[in-house]
Amino acid sequence: MEKSQQMSESLPLAAILALSGGFMDAYSYIGRGHVFANAQTGNILLFGVSLSTGDFSTSIRFLFPVLAFASGIAVAQIVKYNYTNRKYIHWRQITILTEAVILFAVSFLPQGMNLLANSLTSFACGAQVQSFRKINGIGAATTMCIGNLRAATHAFVDYRFAGTRSELERGLLYIGVIGVFAVGAVIGNLCVTFWQERAILVSSGLMLAGFFMMLINREN
């Protein structure tokens, strides 16, 4: 398996990001009106269902996070264009720090502002999925599971027929990311139960931890 020299592609940072990814989805779904932060396929599905029943006010709850997620992707890419090769800061440090600040702000939004809270959380998720797309040089996502599940299954089948150890390692990597994501969802559910809206501070803290990891271990 290819070993990356970039902290942004390291296993420790990937674990933090996947943990936060599962946490954010659990937080938005359980604590903010059954809207997904990361799983935009689910939001688009629920948007369509709401439209089909003529429930336009409910459809907005699902549409805005989708648009915010796309906006997060766009902003992360703009940051990349403007801050690549800067001497003192890496563009991914900017996106992960911005994510931490946004999630911190979300923790203070009351239930009456769930539309804004979910949109901001989805914006942060979009920025994360665009900024951190590799683990040890291998393409992987830390905010969703379907692509990782497909890649894991593909790798295990390739290992079965080709017997290449690298394919086994690749499959185990993807399964590990999925497992950490699931653990994040479990922790998210428990934290929402005890801390309600403030629970998202855990994800904000995880992003700050990731930022300092990248600050200490400077990117190439």
Side-chain angles (χ1 to χ4, degrees), residues 54-197:
D55 190 352
F56 300 112
S57 61
T58 298
S59 69
I60 295 299
R61 289 198 298 121
F62 302 110
L63 175 61
F64 273 57
V66 174
L67 298 177
F69 188 89
S71 298
I73 293 172
V75 169
Q77 191 66 9
I78 291 169
V79 170
K80 179 180 179 180
Y81 277 121
N82 284 288
Y83 287 90
T84 296
N85 299 323
R86 292 297 179 95
K87 184 175 182 180
Y88 297 106
I89 191 167
H90 194 279
W91 69 271
R92 291 190 181 94
Q93 290 175 290
I94 297 173
T95 59
I96 198 171
L97 182 60
T98 300
E99 189 176 351
V101 172
I102 288 172
L103 297 177
F104 180 82
V106 167
S107 71
F108 294 97
L109 296 177
Q111 286 291 313
M113 300 181 71
N114 278 351
L115 179 61
L116 178 59
N118 287 328
S119 296
L120 288 173
T121 305
S122 288
F123 179 91
C125 292
Q128 179 174 318
V129 76
Q130 180 65 11
S131 302
F132 301 93
R133 296 187 291 174
K134 290 185 178 181
I135 303 173
N136 281 351
I138 297 173
T142 57
T143 60
M144 57 193 73
C145 294
I146 186 169
N148 293 337
L149 182 59
R150 183 210 61 78
T153 304
H154 185 162
F156 287 138
V157 171
D158 283 353
Y159 173 70
R160 167 63 179 80
F161 285 94
T164 306
R165 182 174 177 81
S166 63
E167 294 301 331
L168 175 61
E169 293 177 347
R170 184 188 298 261
L172 292 174
L173 173 66
Y174 286 120
I175 292 298
V177 173
I178 293 171
V180 174
F181 184 94
V183 170
V186 172
I187 296 172
N189 181 34
L190 294 174
C191 289
V192 169
T193 300
F194 290 107
W195 300 326
Q196 289 79 47
E197 293 83 6

